[in-house]
Amino acid sequence: MASYTLMGILNVTPDSFSDGGRFMEPQDALEHATRLAREGAGILDVGGESTRPGAEPVSPEEELSRTVPVLGALARAQLGVELSIDTTKAVVARAAIEAGAVLVNDVSALRADPEMAEVVASGGVGCCLMHMLGEPRTMQLQPRYEGDVVDEVKAFLEQRLAFAVAAGIAEERIILDPGIGFGKTLRHNLALLDRLDELRSLGRPIMVGTSRKRFLGVLGARAHGSPEPLEADRRLPGTLATSVLALERGASIFRVHEVAPVAEALAVATATLGGDGG
Ligand code: HH2
């Protein structure tokens, strides 16, 4: 039976590509988090730095001041969900763990900060290792892979998994993510989704984050014969389509902005695949 977890996104940033500026006030963040939990999120991923293409880096102090109070408030609210911190900085991860985070979602896969692996290992928490080609500021400027994108992403994740385990992070707490949209063209994203099942042999849960990403705006616009990509708030149908396909190909964690519709789509998909007897 397919079993999966929804990770609800809570961006405490002024500039995230689809929800920037909406949850900067702790009260707004808490209300949104409560809603995501009620709708079926098992994990809430709190981020204080946008990784959208072209985003400028944020100082550690700024990132700490955005995320730690929110994590503290979420922990106190006892929403019945696990808390995750979306960061590449060890100092932020350490403070987040103290505030109640049990997962570190590091889009650099422990490469950006030499102290990150030790913070995750000694904190006894889980981590998500994601593939990214380049860095957010420039990653979408003509991303190129020498060979096959799926083979390269798989080899990268295998190598980062080995690195994390060697650093003392419990293997059973590691999640792998192909990093949809991170240094990838439309064709790269589609190949990774179509052949997602090839990552299963790495033996760890696979997370995917397609939610509202630009390639869905491009494909969605084609359906309407429109030359301009659909705006981020019109990418839910694409998010649902790709989430269902990723589920069928073995993904088990879905990082999404809108939990309720994805929960519904995945429930229908699971039943259709014979997972729960309908
Ligand atoms: N995508 C984003 C951020 N973090 N983490 C993982 N593991 N996988 C993803 O696909 C992923 C991620 C980008 O989405 P969002 O948080 O909505 O935007 P921004 O980075 O602009 O805050």
Side-chain angles (χ1 to χ4, degrees):
M1 166 170 168
S3 77
Y4 50 84
T5 303
L6 297 180
M7 173 188 264
I9 301 171
L10 186 60
N11 284 322
V12 195
T13 58
D15 58 344
S16 286
F17 78 93
S18 85
D19 55 0
R22 286 186 57 201
F23 310 117
M24 292 294 280
E25 293 296 323
Q27 190 53 32
D28 295 336
L30 183 58
E31 273 171 29
H32 188 59
T34 306
R35 175 179 167 177
L36 295 174
R38 195 178 349 104
E39 291 179 349
I43 309 172
L44 292 178
D45 191 35
V46 176
E49 177 175 47
S50 173
T51 51
R52 74 177 201 291
E56 289 298 328
V58 169
S59 73
E61 296 73 28
E62 178 66 27
E63 202 179 324
L64 281 166
S65 75
R66 289 178 185 174
T67 54
V68 174
V70 169
L71 283 162
L74 298 185
R76 282 191 298 280
Q78 299 193 342
L79 299 172
V81 296
E82 293 193 339
L83 299 179
S84 164
I85 177 73
D86 186 347
T87 189
T88 58
K89 299 184 183 74
V91 64
V92 175
R94 191 181 292 116
I97 293 166
E98 275 168 26
V102 295
L103 183 70
V104 175
N105 174 23
D106 181 353
V107 299
S108 84
L110 311 175
R111 293 177 299 161
D113 188 326
E115 289 175 27
M116 185 62 112
E118 152 62 15
V119 166
V120 175
S122 63
V125 296
C127 72
C128 177
L129 305 174
M130 195 197 79
H131 176 272
M132 168 166 55
L133 184 70
E135 41 128 7
R137 216 163 38 81
T138 52
M139 66 188 176
Q140 287 306 104
L141 306 174
Q142 298 190 327
R144 289 257 294 275
Y145 292 80
E146 293 300 321
D148 177 69
V149 62
V150 182
D151 290 347
E152 281 193 33
V153 168
K154 183 176 177 183
F156 171 88
L157 293 176
E158 186 168 26
Q159 188 256 326
R160 297 317 292 163
L161 175 61
F163 172 86
V165 171
I169 299 172
E171 183 162 2
E172 63 274 14
R173 305 198 69 162
I174 299 175
I175 297 162
L176 303 176
D177 184 335
I180 298 298
F182 285 83
K184 281 135 192 139
T185 62
L186 171 65
R187 198 175 53 79
H188 296 142
N189 288 327
L190 295 179
L192 283 161
L193 286 169
D194 188 29
R195 294 166 52 200
L196 198 67
D197 55 332
E198 293 180 29
L199 303 183
R200 292 168 91 154
S201 61
L202 297 173
R204 299 305 314 142
I206 298 164
M207 173 150 113
V208 285
T210 60
S211 189
R212 296 184 182 166
K213 285 194 176 155
R214 190 172 187 283
F215 78 109
L216 300 177
V218 173
L219 293 174
R222 280 189 199 164
H224 303 297
S226 154
E228 291 301 317
L230 302 179
E231 296 293 324
D233 64 356
R234 292 191 54 205
R235 299 176 190 166
L236 178 59
T239 303
L240 297 176
T242 48
S243 297
V244 166
L245 289 168
L247 176 83
E248 193 266 337
R249 285 153 169 75
S252 57
I253 305 172
F254 299 83
R255 184 180 181 279
V256 294
H257 299 88
E258 291 151 291
V259 167
V262 180
E264 203 175 310
L266 295 184
V268 173
T270 302
T272 309
L273 293 168
D276 70 354

